Amino acid sequence: MKKDKKYYGDTRLNHFCAFCGCPTETEDHVPSKCFLDKPHPQDLLVIPCCCKCNHDFSLDEEYVSCMIDCMKAGTASPTLVEREKTRKSLLHNPKLQERISSQIRDFGGVLLYDIEKERFEKVFRKLAFGHLAYENDTLAWDSPYSIDIHLLSKMSDSQRDDFFRPYRGELLPEVCSHGLEHVMLCWEDGHLDSCISPWIPIQEGRYRYCVSPNGNIVKFVIAEFLAVEVNIEM
C-alpha cells in the first residue's frame, strides 16, 4: 500500500483493514468493479484492506453480481442476459452459469430465486462497512449488523419513497471526512436544525449509495434492481 495515500481524515485509520481490522497490505474498491461497467468512472472509491479480505471476497462478488443480472433477465442463459460483463463471466465459467441456472426456477411464469443468502450478506456487509469507512471515517468491523434486501420492482410507492429519502440526522459526520464534504446543512431560525446525507451516484444505472450522518445506516442500489439497507449497531 502506498505510504502517502490518504484514505481518511484520521490517517491512523489507514493501518487497519476496513473489513476485519487486520494490518493493511493493499487496497480495495468499494464497490468492486464487478458491479460497474466499462469505462469505469474516474477516481473510484478505494479503502485500505488486508490481502486476505481482498482475495476472499472476489468469488462471492462475482457470484452476487452475476446473480443479480440473471435475476433481472429471468435466466442464466448468456445469450439472454443483457449485461456484457455478466455474459462473459457466464461463458467463461460454465460452473457458475450452471449454479445460477439451478437457482432460478419458473413456476408457471412466476420466478423464484434460491439465492445463496450467506454470500449475498457477506458481500453486502463488505459494501456497507466500506462505505461507512470511506464516508464517515468509521471502522466497524466488529459491530453487529442486520441487512434488509428488496427488489425495487416489488416495493410499494411508499416503500420506495422511504428508501430513497436522504438520511437526516442531528450529528455531523467526522471532521475532514468525505461524508462531511457531502452533507447538506438545514438551518431554522439561525440554528442548525439537521444535516442531510444525499445519495451518491457511482455509475448511472449500476450503483449508488447513501450513508446516514450518524453513521449507523448504509443503503445502496445495485443495477437499479436490488435495494439494500444495512443497519449497524455502533
Side-chain angles (χ1 to χ4, degrees), residues 185-201:
L185 303 182
C186 299
W187 299 84
E188 184 175 333
D189 297 329
H191 300 283
L192 179 63
D193 175 62
S194 60
C195 50
I196 297 176
S197 291
W199 280 87
I200 300 173

Side-chain angles (χ1 to χ4, degrees), residues 33-51:
K33 289 182 179 179
C34 70
F35 293 108
L36 307 174
D37 289 333
K38 292 183 178 180
H40 295 133
Q42 295 182 348
D43 300 325
L44 289 177
L45 313 184
V46 293
I47 56 175
C49 70
C50 66
C51 287

Side-chain angles (χ1 to χ4, degrees), residues 21-220:
C22 287
T24 53
E25 303 160 294
T26 182
E27 61 187 18
D28 201 6
H29 291 95
V30 180
S32 167
K33 289 182 179 179
C34 70
F35 293 108
L36 307 174
D37 289 333
K38 292 183 178 180
H40 295 133
Q42 295 182 348
D43 300 325
L44 289 177
L45 313 184
V46 293
I47 56 175
C49 70
C50 66
C51 287
K52 185 177 187 303
C53 283
N54 195 320
H55 176 269
D56 286 355
F57 284 106
S58 298
L59 292 179
D60 294 317
E61 288 175 322
E62 181 184 26
Y63 163 76
V64 170
S65 175
C66 288
M67 186 67 187
I68 290 173
D69 290 323
C70 289
M71 290 167 68
K72 288 184 66 176
T75 177
S77 172
T79 59
L80 299 177
V81 174
E82 180 179 351
R83 188 179 178 220
E84 180 182 1
K85 182 176 288 188
T86 297
R87 289 200 306 269
K88 289 181 177 180
S89 293
L90 297 175
L91 288 170
H92 294 164
N93 191 342
K95 288 186 177 180
L96 176 63
Q97 189 272 335
E98 182 179 352
R99 188 185 194 102
I100 292 178
S101 182
S102 69
Q103 296 171 353
I104 300 178
R105 296 182 292 162
D106 188 338
F107 286 85
V110 178
L111 296 178
L112 297 180
Y113 309 110
D114 297 324
I115 66 171
E116 297 175 38
K117 188 176 179 180
E118 289 185 1
R119 301 183 79 179
F120 268 71
E121 291 183 348
K122 178 181 178 181
V123 171
F124 293 162
R125 173 195 178 275
K126 179 205 172 183
L127 291 170
F129 282 46
H131 288 313
L132 179 60
Y134 185 85
E135 286 295 315
N136 289 16
D137 289 8
T138 301
L139 301 183
W141 62 79
D142 58 349
S143 298
Y145 63 94
S146 61
I147 301 177
D148 290 321
I149 306 172
H150 300 280
L151 297 178
L152 278 178
S153 61
K154 300 298 183 181
M155 297 172 72
S156 66
D157 290 342
S158 61
Q159 287 176 321
R160 289 170 65 94
D161 289 343
D162 287 341
F163 182 81
F164 285 111
R165 185 175 295 112
Y167 288 123
R168 182 185 292 265
E170 297 179 356
L171 299 177
L172 287 170
E174 186 71 23
V175 174
C176 296
S177 67
H178 296 94
L180 188 60
E181 297 176 9
H182 297 143
V183 75
M184 298 180 292
L185 303 182
C186 299
W187 299 84
E188 184 175 333
D189 297 329
H191 300 283
L192 179 63
D193 175 62
S194 60
C195 50
I196 297 176
S197 291
W199 280 87
I200 300 173
I202 298 296
Q203 187 175 63
E204 185 177 356
R206 288 304 311 170
Y207 196 94
R208 48 180 165 153
Y209 73 95
C210 183
V211 180
S212 66
N214 299 345
N216 64 318
I217 306 176
V218 180
K219 54 188 176 184
F220 43 90

